[in-house]
Amino acid sequence: MTDPMTDTRPLVMIVDDDAAQVQALCRTLPAHGYDPIGFTDPEAALAALRRSKCDLVLADLRMMPGGMDGIALLQAALQLDPDLVVIIMTGAGTIATAVEAMKAGALDYILKPFKLSMIIPVLERALAVRRLRLENAALERRVREHTAELEAANRELEAFSFSVAHDLRSPLTVILGYADTLIEDFSPQLPHEALVQLEGIVAGAEQMRRLTDGLLRLSRLGRQPLSRQRVDIAALVREVADELRRTSGPRQIAVHVGELPDCVADQALLRQVFVNLLSNAFKFTATRSDPVIAVSGRTEASERIYAVRDNGTGFDMSQSEKLFGAFQRLHATDQYEGTGIGLSIAARVVQRHGGRIWAESEVDRGATFRFSIPG
């Protein structure tokens, strides 16, 4: 037998205790592009299937040798090759049994006696189904392999990020300690230019520490198990907004909290999403004389969708692909402070819940961030 994945002529196994029927099919099928092989003994047919594969089995429903009928042959053949397609040949009086054979795994049946013009379309359909099954199996295998590779790469990246961030903390602490000591103990003896340079060292080290802290938080998200529970989103948002108001100084910021449906999620992680989105809204409305932030939500199909809208500086949507990448910033650091890690953390949390996150904005006309939580 030949390899069905590489041979251009499908290999058809014919199993029937009627030797004349087997011979007739073996003589006529080659002219239609098939390579037939015939057996009158089902046990011999199974032995041949154990040695190598074929594309299709055309088997009689009632076969006397060895006491094996077409259904028993069908079941044994599918155990050897689950991708095999089997067509049962049967007389008009045994249609009910043929239907039972299809329930057992046969793809189709043909009534005897039949003409060749009847059987060829059935073979073509069956082989098309087999090709589709093999292609789907190959696709699923590639998807599994690709998924496993991505998961391994993500684990390695998270481990690397954690290691780098963790190992950088100690030397950063030393740098900051020495720089602070120099400023505190020796500033009267140091020239003004030296002090300015030291302050620059401290500012740079502090920024790097914030970046490493962000890396640590981001890497931990991949390993932290979800603790799902019902979350009162409205109460959570009001709590976060009140905390941000207390730390934002004398600015008067209007935060409107609409009707927000509850959801089932990890409350601590979901809180971080709202902290990051509302912090951004507070930050990017800093230049507004009447800053307004609105939080709304709705239930749509099987999702809870939440939105955080502000009337701040906004951003150019042509750069929106950068929004949720780690350390990606759409505004200069001298305009707005930050590490560029907050939105990537929010996105990671939402994705771990099986949801999605996206944004809409126009320059100088505010921004709206939306995310969904399934269920």
Side-chain angles (χ1 to χ4, degrees):
M1 297 183 193
T2 54
D3 185 352
M5 293 296 288
T6 59
D7 189 12
T8 57
R9 292 174 63 89
L11 183 56
V12 177
M13 176 181 286
I14 303 157
V15 189
D16 194 330
D17 59 354
D18 184 344
Q21 180 78 33
V22 172
Q23 291 172 3
L25 288 170
C26 286
R27 283 196 307 268
T28 55
L29 287 179
H32 295 269
Y34 298 96
D35 281 337
I37 180 171
F39 295 91
T40 56
D41 182 358
E43 292 290 352
L46 287 174
L49 279 175
R50 292 187 187 97
R51 290 192 296 270
S52 59
K53 292 184 177 182
C54 73
D55 295 294
L56 184 147
V57 171
L58 185 60
D60 187 34
L61 182 60
R62 291 185 175 179
M63 292 179 290
M64 302 308 294
M68 179 180 290
D69 63 8
I71 293 180
L73 173 67
L74 160 71
Q75 293 170 335
L78 290 178
Q79 285 183 346
L80 294 172
D81 182 3
D83 295 316
L84 187 64
V85 288
V86 180
I87 298 173
I88 292 294
M89 299 181 290
T90 182
T94 54
I95 291 179
T97 311
V99 172
E100 290 301 314
M102 292 183 67
K103 292 179 180 178
L107 184 68
D108 206 343
Y109 69 90
I110 301 172
L111 292 178
K112 290 183 174 182
F114 53 78
K115 295 179 180 179
L116 189 62
S117 59
M118 295 171 53
I119 198 172
I120 295 300
V122 177
L123 297 180
E124 290 175 349
R125 287 197 302 270
L127 289 170
V129 169
R130 174 173 167 79
R131 282 192 296 272
L132 184 60
R133 287 178 181 174
L134 293 174
E135 289 168 2
N136 286 343
L139 179 60
E140 289 175 2
R141 183 173 60 255
R142 289 195 297 271
V143 169
R144 286 195 301 270
E145 292 171 352
H146 186 54
T147 301
E149 291 172 0
L150 284 177
E151 289 174 349
N154 283 334
R155 286 194 298 270
E156 290 176 4
L157 183 59
E158 288 171 359
F160 174 76
S161 298
F162 182 85
S163 177
V164 169
H166 185 270
D167 293 345
L168 281 175
R169 289 169 70 90
S170 294
L172 278 175
T173 301
V174 172
I175 292 170
L176 283 167
Y178 279 128
D180 287 337
T181 299
L182 284 171
I183 292 172
E184 291 174 8
D185 296 347
F186 300 100
S187 58
Q189 296 106 300
L190 293 173
H192 176 71
E193 184 179 349
L195 281 174
V196 171
Q197 291 176 352
L198 275 173
E199 289 169 356
I201 291 172
V202 171
E206 288 285 4
Q207 175 69 0
M208 185 172 287
R209 184 159 65 181
R210 287 192 291 270
L211 289 173
T212 57
D213 288 344
L215 265 178
L216 284 171
R217 290 196 302 273
L218 193 59
S219 65
R220 286 170 181 150
L221 280 178
R223 298 189 301 273
Q224 180 177 344
L226 296 180
S227 177
R228 295 180 187 269
Q229 57 182 297
R230 180 160 290 281
V231 182
D232 183 339
I233 299 297
L236 180 64
V237 168
R238 291 189 182 96
E239 177 186 316
V240 171
D242 289 343
E243 289 179 4
L244 291 172
R245 280 198 192 94
R246 287 194 293 269
T247 59
S248 64
R251 294 176 62 209
Q252 297 298 313
I253 304 173
V255 180
H256 303 300
V257 180
E259 293 292 327
L260 300 175
D262 294 351
C263 70
V264 176
D266 186 306
Q267 180 162 330
L269 291 180
L270 201 56
R271 187 181 194 280
Q272 189 63 52
V273 173
F274 280 108
V275 166
N276 292 357
L277 295 182
L278 285 168
S279 294
N280 267 11
F282 271 64
K283 178 167 61 177
F284 291 112
T285 56
T287 59
R288 296 293 189 258
S289 58
D290 57 341
V292 178
I293 299 168
V295 185
S296 59
R298 68 182 190 274
T299 299
E300 187 174 291
S302 59
E303 290 182 318
R304 308 290 192 273
I305 298 177
Y306 305 99
V308 177
R309 186 175 69 255
D310 65 67
N311 65 339
T313 57
F315 57 86
D316 184 350
M317 283 295 289
S318 67
Q319 296 182 294
S320 60
E321 73 279 359
K322 298 180 181 179
L323 274 175
F324 303 107
F327 309 120
Q328 297 288 336
R329 296 176 54 87
L330 303 187
H331 302 86
T333 55
D334 58 353
Q335 292 180 296
Y336 299 97
E337 65 178 18
T339 61
I341 200 76
L343 288 179
S344 60
I345 288 175
R348 180 73 67 87
V349 170
V350 171
Q351 289 161 4
R352 287 208 59 202
H353 282 81
R356 53 202 173 93
I357 187 168
W358 66 101
E360 300 164 5
S361 181
E362 289 184 46
V363 175
D364 207 38
R365 300 192 66 177
T368 302
F369 284 84
R370 292 185 173 87
F371 70 92
S372 67
I373 299 294

PDB file of all heavy atoms in Angstrom, residues 232-240 257 260:
ATOM      1  N   ASP A 232     -18.206  43.844  42.763  1.00  0.00           N
ATOM      2  CA  ASP A 232     -19.072  45.023  42.663  1.00  0.00           C
ATOM      3  C   ASP A 232     -18.240  46.114  41.977  1.00  0.00           C
ATOM      4  O   ASP A 232     -17.465  46.837  42.620  1.00  0.00           O
ATOM      5  CB  ASP A 232     -19.508  45.452  44.058  1.00  0.00           C
ATOM      6  CG  ASP A 232     -20.484  46.631  44.035  1.00  0.00           C
ATOM      7  OD1 ASP A 232     -20.519  47.363  43.022  1.00  0.00           O
ATOM      8  OD2 ASP A 232     -21.186  46.841  45.039  1.00  0.00           O
ATOM      9  N   ILE A 233     -18.387  46.242  40.665  1.00  0.00           N
ATOM     10  CA  ILE A 233     -17.540  47.142  39.893  1.00  0.00           C
ATOM     11  C   ILE A 233     -17.792  48.600  40.262  1.00  0.00           C
ATOM     12  O   ILE A 233     -16.847  49.402  40.364  1.00  0.00           O
ATOM     13  CB  ILE A 233     -17.764  46.934  38.383  1.00  0.00           C
ATOM     14  CG1 ILE A 233     -17.397  45.489  37.994  1.00  0.00           C
ATOM     15  CG2 ILE A 233     -16.936  47.910  37.576  1.00  0.00           C
ATOM     16  CD1 ILE A 233     -15.940  45.152  38.220  1.00  0.00           C
ATOM     17  N   ALA A 234     -19.037  48.978  40.469  1.00  0.00           N
ATOM     18  CA  ALA A 234     -19.340  50.371  40.803  1.00  0.00           C
ATOM     19  C   ALA A 234     -18.624  50.786  42.086  1.00  0.00           C
ATOM     20  O   ALA A 234     -18.006  51.859  42.157  1.00  0.00           O
ATOM     21  CB  ALA A 234     -20.848  50.569  40.932  1.00  0.00           C
ATOM     22  N   ALA A 235     -18.700  49.942  43.123  1.00  0.00           N
ATOM     23  CA  ALA A 235     -18.032  50.256  44.388  1.00  0.00           C
ATOM     24  C   ALA A 235     -16.517  50.303  44.206  1.00  0.00           C
ATOM     25  O   ALA A 235     -15.834  51.171  44.775  1.00  0.00           O
ATOM     26  CB  ALA A 235     -18.417  49.223  45.444  1.00  0.00           C
ATOM     27  N   LEU A 236     -15.997  49.375  43.396  1.00  0.00           N
ATOM     28  CA  LEU A 236     -14.553  49.334  43.151  1.00  0.00           C
ATOM     29  C   LEU A 236     -14.073  50.616  42.466  1.00  0.00           C
ATOM     30  O   LEU A 236     -13.058  51.211  42.854  1.00  0.00           O
ATOM     31  CB  LEU A 236     -14.225  48.112  42.286  1.00  0.00           C
ATOM     32  CG  LEU A 236     -12.758  47.901  41.914  1.00  0.00           C
ATOM     33  CD1 LEU A 236     -11.920  47.628  43.152  1.00  0.00           C
ATOM     34  CD2 LEU A 236     -12.626  46.748  40.926  1.00  0.00           C
ATOM     35  N   VAL A 237     -14.807  51.063  41.451  1.00  0.00           N
ATOM     36  CA  VAL A 237     -14.416  52.261  40.710  1.00  0.00           C
ATOM     37  C   VAL A 237     -14.484  53.495  41.612  1.00  0.00           C
ATOM     38  O   VAL A 237     -13.578  54.351  41.586  1.00  0.00           O
ATOM     39  CB  VAL A 237     -15.312  52.437  39.467  1.00  0.00           C
ATOM     40  CG1 VAL A 237     -15.119  53.818  38.846  1.00  0.00           C
ATOM     41  CG2 VAL A 237     -14.999  51.350  38.443  1.00  0.00           C
ATOM     42  N   ARG A 238     -15.528  53.615  42.431  1.00  0.00           N
ATOM     43  CA  ARG A 238     -15.633  54.771  43.325  1.00  0.00           C
ATOM     44  C   ARG A 238     -14.483  54.803  44.327  1.00  0.00           C
ATOM     45  O   ARG A 238     -13.929  55.866  44.636  1.00  0.00           O
ATOM     46  CB  ARG A 238     -16.982  54.750  44.059  1.00  0.00           C
ATOM     47  CG  ARG A 238     -18.177  55.007  43.145  1.00  0.00           C
ATOM     48  CD  ARG A 238     -19.452  55.204  43.947  1.00  0.00           C
ATOM     49  NE  ARG A 238     -20.591  55.394  43.053  1.00  0.00           N
ATOM     50  CZ  ARG A 238     -21.410  54.430  42.682  1.00  0.00           C
ATOM     51  NH1 ARG A 238     -21.212  53.183  43.122  1.00  0.00           N
ATOM     52  NH2 ARG A 238     -22.424  54.675  41.864  1.00  0.00           N
ATOM     53  N   GLU A 239     -14.107  53.630  44.824  1.00  0.00           N
ATOM     54  CA  GLU A 239     -12.992  53.545  45.769  1.00  0.00           C
ATOM     55  C   GLU A 239     -11.684  54.002  45.120  1.00  0.00           C
ATOM     56  O   GLU A 239     -10.922  54.790  45.696  1.00  0.00           O
ATOM     57  CB  GLU A 239     -12.866  52.099  46.264  1.00  0.00           C
ATOM     58  CG  GLU A 239     -11.698  51.860  47.204  1.00  0.00           C
ATOM     59  CD  GLU A 239     -11.551  50.379  47.528  1.00  0.00           C
ATOM     60  OE1 GLU A 239     -12.575  49.718  47.792  1.00  0.00           O
ATOM     61  OE2 GLU A 239     -10.405  49.880  47.501  1.00  0.00           O
ATOM     62  N   VAL A 240     -11.426  53.515  43.893  1.00  0.00           N
ATOM     63  CA  VAL A 240     -10.203  53.894  43.184  1.00  0.00           C
ATOM     64  C   VAL A 240     -10.205  55.389  42.879  1.00  0.00           C
ATOM     65  O   VAL A 240      -9.195  56.081  43.056  1.00  0.00           O
ATOM     66  CB  VAL A 240     -10.053  53.068  41.886  1.00  0.00           C
ATOM     67  CG1 VAL A 240      -8.911  53.605  41.029  1.00  0.00           C
ATOM     68  CG2 VAL A 240      -9.813  51.599  42.209  1.00  0.00           C
ATOM     69  N   VAL A 257     -19.560  58.193  37.592  1.00  0.00           N
ATOM     70  CA  VAL A 257     -19.629  56.732  37.587  1.00  0.00           C
ATOM     71  C   VAL A 257     -21.050  56.330  37.233  1.00  0.00           C
ATOM     72  O   VAL A 257     -21.996  56.610  37.987  1.00  0.00           O
ATOM     73  CB  VAL A 257     -19.217  56.137  38.948  1.00  0.00           C
ATOM     74  CG1 VAL A 257     -19.289  54.608  38.903  1.00  0.00           C
ATOM     75  CG2 VAL A 257     -17.821  56.604  39.328  1.00  0.00           C
ATOM     76  N   LEU A 260     -22.783  50.284  36.387  1.00  0.00           N
ATOM     77  CA  LEU A 260     -21.725  49.334  36.032  1.00  0.00           C
ATOM     78  C   LEU A 260     -22.139  47.926  36.445  1.00  0.00           C
ATOM     79  O   LEU A 260     -22.330  47.660  37.643  1.00  0.00           O
ATOM     80  CB  LEU A 260     -20.410  49.707  36.733  1.00  0.00           C
ATOM     81  CG  LEU A 260     -19.846  51.095  36.396  1.00  0.00           C
ATOM     82  CD1 LEU A 260     -18.614  51.394  37.248  1.00  0.00           C
ATOM     83  CD2 LEU A 260     -19.493  51.168  34.923  1.00  0.00           C
TER      84      LEU A 260
END
